[in-house]
Amino acid sequence: MSFLHDLRIAVRSLWCVRALWLTVALTLALGIGANAAIFSVVRAVLLRPLANRDEDRLLYLRQSAPGLGETNATFSVPEIQDIGSKLKTIEELGTFSEMDFTVEGLGTPREIPAGVVDGHYFEVMGLKPILGRLLGPSDDGPNAAGAIVLTYHFWRTSLKSDPSVLGKQVRLESGMGARSATVVGVLQPSVPYPVATEIIANVVTSPHHLSATMVTGREHRMTEVFARLAPGATVDDARAELRTVYGAMVAAHPEVYRPEDHYRIDVTRMHEQINARANGILWILFAASGLLFVIASSNVANLVLARTVRRESELAVRLALGASTRAIRRALLAEGLVLCGSGAIAAVLLAIPMVNVLGRYAARFSVRANDLTLDFSLVWFGVALALAAAIFLALIPRLPSPNGAQGGLSARGVRATGGSSRRLRIFAVTQITASFLLLAGACVLMKTLFVLEEIRPPFDSANVLAINLPVLSYGKTPQQVSEFYREVLRRVGALPGVEHASSGFSAPWRDDRGLNIAFTFATQGARRTDGQDFRAKFRSVSPGFFDTFGVPIAAGRDFNDGDKDGSERVVIISQSLANLLYPGQDPLNRRLWWTDGVMKFIGISMEPRRIIAVVPDFDDENIIPSAAMTIYQPIQQEGWNGRLFVRAHADPYTLVPAISRTIHEMSSDQPVEKASTLGDVRAEVLTPDKLNAIVFGGFAAVALLISVVGVAGVLAFSVSSRTREFGIRMALGAQRHNILTNVLVEGLVMAVIGVSAGVVLGFGLALLAGKYVTELHQPGALAFVASAFTILAAAVIAAAVPAARAANVNAVEALRAD
């Protein structure tokens, strides 16, 4: 008899138990498919080599000042010169500064993220062009012509891979002025770091980078530094040398690097730095998929082994009629291959769409997750595991003896050996333990998301529209630019449906680059007891800004049109800052002045300014509001525009066409971009937390469902094997509720054992993971209690059907059947 014939028989046999076949196939599909999809993401994001040449020699430098709360600070030009001129273990340094340029000449003018680099950057990064050339040392210096390189993603998506873009002249607008530049090349596909850029320009395109404040200001830090290891040097060698050189620089400038600020430098491989944000979450997700695979495998083993035990009488008959043990094993193997093979095929079909979904999820944490495809290496590994499982399930079960007293021809019912029953219970307990761990993790994420969703911001976010309105200064004086924004506010504020309109230089939550910097200042009549300087965030806003956001003035007055350049300098401070400076006193009319050296580099005066008002804390940086140490200055005196805020009477989005039309009537080239309510901006910031909760919650739900099936299967098998026992007990006077309780308790005991093991493992894994993933939220008692209650309730539900079946055993029929 051929094995093909065995396969046909197996298909017919399994068709009679279609529920079992479908359950096993779906369980394997979920286990293998989820792991294949997640491994595709992990491999693409964390393990795949970078496109950069000799990536193992590519380094990322960073400095920090824990005393100032700076964990990953950029560098200033003098610092880079001091460090780079004395290194032997590092071959070359390349620099990158994040910028936003408004680009005119590549389609509709718009503001795009960009980078300003020196002539060594591309050589250090080990990248090459796919079109034209890259920037080099000849593009450095104030007399060089403006030149830009397009990133591959921007060229392909925004310019439709147009090769004629080479040689095009464009104008780049930044806060400090406009410069012209020529498109000289298109960069090969590569990971954009430290930010997702669309163009990369040479230094001359940024007037600010050529200014004396940028070139000589040691505290003016806005440049990322990359390095390439010298041949034969190691990362440890470079780290040791950098710390020595950096220590000498710190000692030479005590006025900048104060001992209490604890300035230090470190270096890491570029590959590790790029993966830093995605590393923890993806490995945890991979571990979750591993738990799901354990649950799926245990469930398949449970179902198939239980069916094999139930078939002892059938197998004994076949053996008695002359079938060889080898033929029986081959038939079991055929059934196992059909079961596991169909599961493997379903896994491939499931993994393809799943990897697309998970790729979009992972793209929130790493740009390397874009354009992912299924990695078939793990699919084939899963298929191989499925085939191995089929062989295991064919060879492991003990075949009955045709002449044996137990399970042979004399056995009319199903007999389960103690070993079979124990194995099934062990598999079920394993499923429950793994399900508990996934549920506890999902509970932590859902609780975190619930807390974030419930916390309300300290200002109106539903009815306020934030619009990017980048400065276009070409051919305009600063006064004309300022007048343009004033006229925008006047005209937009007069539109029907607009309640208030104002402007500033940053939108809450969205413009994070400009929100988290604090500067030192001094103030009249206040001094810190520890001798440290006062520090506060800086914001420039227009009159009516606080009315737009629904934030009342606690004391004093708002800015007005009289607070302009040439008039008395004034500020408004936050309530927390007022309490710190003047506890129990009136801060109005006191004077403060900036002392931070950076201020002179960004064009902010150190002159004293009078406090004219106090406003409630306006934390525009954090989703969970904290004490806001903020100083607000009138935008007509100092600062920058670029963001328009509109408070609407009704739906803010209905105003967008009218706002855009009004602004374009004033200037047809003016970009009007990213119109969004602050509520939607906040929701976008929360998206990674939502995705975490959804993904882990989905894993937990699937795991729980499989575990319920597993527990129900074990108890159904137990009830089938104990039919005669239940019949005897009922014949001797046992009540149906006693039998029902007995089976329910059996399921509950398995759940309690699984939950107990899960609690122990959960605490241990949480402590272990916390050492490597610092941002991990540790599970609290509520997560464990909620998960345990869910598991125990599910176990009772799973046990209900077999328990009801046991309670309805007919004692006479049960005894007669045996």
Side-chain angles (χ1 to χ4, degrees):
M1 185 181 295
S2 69
F3 189 65
L4 186 60
H5 179 72
D6 288 331
L7 288 174
R8 286 199 295 267
I9 296 294
V11 170
R12 285 202 297 269
S13 174
L14 290 171
W15 187 251
C16 297
V17 285
R18 291 187 290 276
L20 172 73
W21 190 357
L22 182 62
T23 302
V24 169
L26 286 178
T27 302
L28 280 175
L30 287 168
I32 297 174
N35 275 272
I38 291 171
F39 182 75
S40 297
V41 175
V42 169
R43 186 172 186 179
V45 175
L46 303 181
L47 306 179
R48 186 178 61 192
L50 300 174
N52 308 67
R53 184 187 76 252
D54 299 331
E55 67 159 287
D56 59 319
R57 293 175 56 199
L58 185 56
L59 305 178
Y60 173 72
L61 275 60
R62 56 185 176 185
Q63 62 177 335
S64 59
L68 299 176
E70 291 282 357
T71 57
N72 190 14
T74 50
F75 292 83
S76 66
V77 172
E79 287 175 333
I80 296 169
Q81 292 171 342
D82 286 351
I83 294 169
S85 62
K86 303 173 183 178
L87 297 177
K88 295 184 176 62
T89 58
I90 287 178
E91 193 172 63
E92 200 168 22
L93 297 180
T95 64
F96 175 102
S97 300
E98 180 183 355
M99 291 284 291
D100 286 331
F101 283 125
T102 302
V103 180
E104 298 175 81
L106 294 176
T108 304
R110 66 186 184 91
E111 188 177 49
I112 64 174
V116 171
V117 303
D118 68 359
H120 301 286
Y121 172 78
F122 286 112
E123 178 61 28
V124 169
M125 295 297 284
L127 296 172
K128 56 188 178 182
I130 61 167
L131 200 65
R133 68 175 180 87
L134 300 182
L135 302 176
S138 62
D139 296 298
D140 273 343
N143 297 321
I148 63 170
V149 172
L150 308 180
T151 61
Y152 177 79
H153 182 264
F154 176 68
W155 178 65
R156 181 171 61 86
T157 57
S158 297
L159 302 178
K160 311 302 180 187
S161 303
D162 180 11
S164 66
V165 72
L166 285 184
K168 272 195 174 182
Q169 292 290 314
V170 299
R171 187 165 69 243
L172 305 179
E173 292 263 8
S174 62
M176 300 292 287
R179 290 287 189 275
S180 62
T182 304
V183 178
V184 299
V186 177
L187 184 63
Q188 71 178 109
S190 58
V191 179
Y193 193 83
V195 291
T197 53
E198 297 189 351
I199 67 170
I200 300 175
N202 60 344
V203 171
V204 74
T205 58
S206 171
H208 182 66
H209 280 70
L210 298 178
S211 64
T213 57
M214 178 75 177
V215 175
T216 62
R218 182 168 292 275
E219 296 171 273
H220 188 18
R221 302 182 179 97
M222 61 176 295
T223 304
E224 305 275 359
V225 178
F226 302 89
R228 184 162 285 273
L229 270 177
T234 66
V235 176
D236 289 337
D237 294 337
R239 184 176 290 115
E241 185 182 25
L242 273 169
R243 287 175 177 171
T244 300
V245 173
Y246 188 81
M249 180 188 74
V250 167
H253 300 278
E255 74 285 358
V256 175
Y257 310 100
R258 299 180 304 179
E260 60 269 23
D261 296 336
H262 305 292
Y263 275 90
R264 62 189 64 169
I265 194 170
D266 203 359
V267 60
T268 185
R269 291 190 188 277
M270 183 67 177
H271 193 286
E272 296 172 7
Q273 182 65 26
I274 287 176
N275 293 336
R277 186 163 174 253
N279 196 55
I281 191 68
L282 288 184
W283 281 121
I284 291 173
L285 186 60
F286 195 50
S289 71
L291 286 174
L292 185 63
F293 186 75
V294 169
I295 295 169
S297 302
S298 299
N299 196 53
V300 169
N302 252 351
L303 294 170
V304 176
L305 286 177
R307 180 170 185 262
T308 303
V309 174
R310 286 195 190 98
R311 298 172 65 194
E312 283 186 347
S313 294
E314 173 204 333
L315 298 177
V317 169
R318 293 172 66 178
L319 286 167
L321 292 176
S324 66
T325 301
R326 181 180 178 185
I328 297 295
R329 294 288 185 193
R330 195 171 63 187
L332 292 176
L333 176 61
E335 288 192 8
L337 288 175
V338 171
L339 282 171
C340 299
S342 57
I345 293 171
V348 175
L349 298 177
L350 180 66
I352 293 172
M354 188 179 287
V355 78
N356 293 328
V357 173
L358 289 173
R360 289 194 292 273
Y361 163 72
R364 294 282 176 175
F365 306 97
S366 173
V367 293
R368 302 195 76 194
N370 293 326
D371 304 320
L372 276 179
T373 56
L374 180 64
D375 189 327
F376 275 90
S377 60
L378 194 70
V379 175
W380 299 129
F381 180 70
V383 170
L385 284 179
L387 295 178
I391 297 172
F392 172 81
L393 295 172
L395 299 179
I396 292 302
R398 184 180 65 83
L399 296 182
S401 168
N403 301 314
Q406 276 286 87
L409 292 175
S410 61
R412 297 172 185 262
V414 178
R415 295 287 188 269
T417 64
S420 297
S421 182
R422 279 194 301 273
R423 281 196 297 271
L424 295 177
R425 280 168 171 75
I426 289 171
F427 284 139
V429 168
T430 301
Q431 293 174 46
I432 291 169
T433 300
S435 297
F436 174 82
L437 293 173
L438 286 175
L439 269 177
C443 283
V444 171
L445 295 172
M446 289 177 182
K447 178 187 175 185
T448 300
L449 180 61
F450 176 78
V451 170
L452 291 173
E453 290 281 11
E454 285 298 303
I455 292 174
R456 296 295 91 197
F459 49 83
D460 184 6
S461 61
N463 297 314
V464 177
L465 199 66
I467 302 173
N468 281 20
L469 206 65
V471 173
L472 289 184
S473 60
Y474 182 73
K476 300 176 185 176
T477 65
Q479 290 74 23
Q480 289 173 322
V481 171
S482 180
E483 181 57 35
F484 170 78
Y485 279 95
R486 276 200 300 269
E487 185 65 11
V488 166
L489 293 183
R490 188 186 68 80
R491 294 194 187 187
V492 170
L495 291 173
V498 173
E499 187 175 346
H500 292 288
S502 60
S503 64
F505 79 88
S506 59
W509 303 311
R510 190 161 68 190
D511 296 316
D512 54 349
R513 186 181 64 178
L515 297 178
N516 59 1
I517 304 173
F519 304 96
T520 61
F521 70 96
T523 184
Q524 175 187 4
R527 191 183 305 275
R528 288 185 58 160
T529 56
D530 58 6
Q532 297 288 316
D533 291 328
F534 290 112
R535 304 184 72 86
K537 307 288 179 66
F538 164 76
R539 302 285 185 268
S540 57
V541 300
S542 73
F545 175 84
F546 299 107
D547 285 338
T548 303
F549 285 85
V551 176
I553 303 292
R557 68 168 178 87
D558 195 359
F559 297 132
N560 57 43
D561 291 336
D563 299 318
K564 57 187 178 181
D565 193 25
S567 65
E568 178 192 21
R569 297 189 184 276
V570 294
V571 294
I572 294 174
I573 64 174
S574 62
Q575 186 67 63
S576 289
L577 188 58
N579 294 340
L580 174 67
L581 299 177
Y582 307 107
Q585 303 176 50
D586 183 6
L588 298 184
N589 298 316
R590 308 283 186 115
R591 297 189 178 275
L592 60 78
W593 55 95
W594 297 108
T595 59
D596 203 306
V598 174
M599 283 301 184
K600 61 185 177 184
F601 304 136
I602 57 177
I604 303 298
S605 168
M606 301 274 194
E607 295 178 29
R609 49 202 77 213
R610 181 168 60 91
I611 300 172
I612 62 169
V614 176
V615 293
D617 285 359
F618 186 106
D619 188 353
D620 55 3
E621 181 183 357
N622 304 297
I623 293 296
I624 299 178
S626 59
M629 303 293 180
T630 312
I631 297 174
Y632 301 91
Q633 297 185 180
I635 208 164
Q636 300 300 332
Q637 287 189 340
E638 287 178 315
W640 311 271
N641 261 301
R643 302 296 180 258
L644 175 66
F645 306 109
V646 178
R647 182 184 178 90
H649 288 291
D651 181 7
Y653 286 110
T654 61
L655 297 173
V656 174
I659 293 172
S660 299
R661 186 169 56 252
T662 299
I663 295 172
H664 286 148
E665 287 172 356
M666 300 171 58
S667 174
S668 59
D669 291 337
Q670 175 64 51
V672 182
E673 304 175 318
K674 296 183 179 180
S676 179
T677 64
L678 292 178
D680 286 344
V681 173
R682 184 177 186 273
E684 178 69 15
V685 174
L686 286 176
T687 296
D689 293 284
K690 291 179 181 177
L691 289 173
N692 286 344
I694 290 171
V695 171
F696 281 90
F699 272 109
V702 171
L704 184 61
L705 178 62
I706 295 175
S707 296
V708 166
V709 173
V711 171
V714 170
L715 293 178
F717 170 76
S718 176
V719 169
S720 297
S721 65
R722 297 171 64 190
T723 300
R724 183 170 181 270
E725 173 200 333
F726 292 144
I728 293 174
R729 290 174 61 182
M730 294 182 73
L732 293 176
Q735 299 298 311
R736 294 185 184 279
H737 68 82
N738 298 126
I739 303 297
L740 182 70
T741 302
N742 182 272
V743 178
L744 288 175
V745 168
E746 188 176 349
L748 200 57
V749 167
M750 285 191 292
V752 169
I753 295 173
V755 167
S756 300
V759 169
V760 174
L761 279 174
F763 273 119
L765 290 174
L767 293 174
L768 181 64
K771 295 180 180 179
Y772 301 98
V773 186
T774 55
E775 68 273 16
L776 182 69
H777 296 284
Q778 294 295 334
L782 181 62
F784 283 111
V785 171
S787 303
F789 177 80
T790 304
I791 292 284
L792 295 176
V796 172
I797 293 171
V801 174
R805 181 178 154 201
N808 289 320
V809 167
N810 186 302
V812 175
E813 293 297 328
L815 294 172
R816 182 182 298 158
D818 207 56

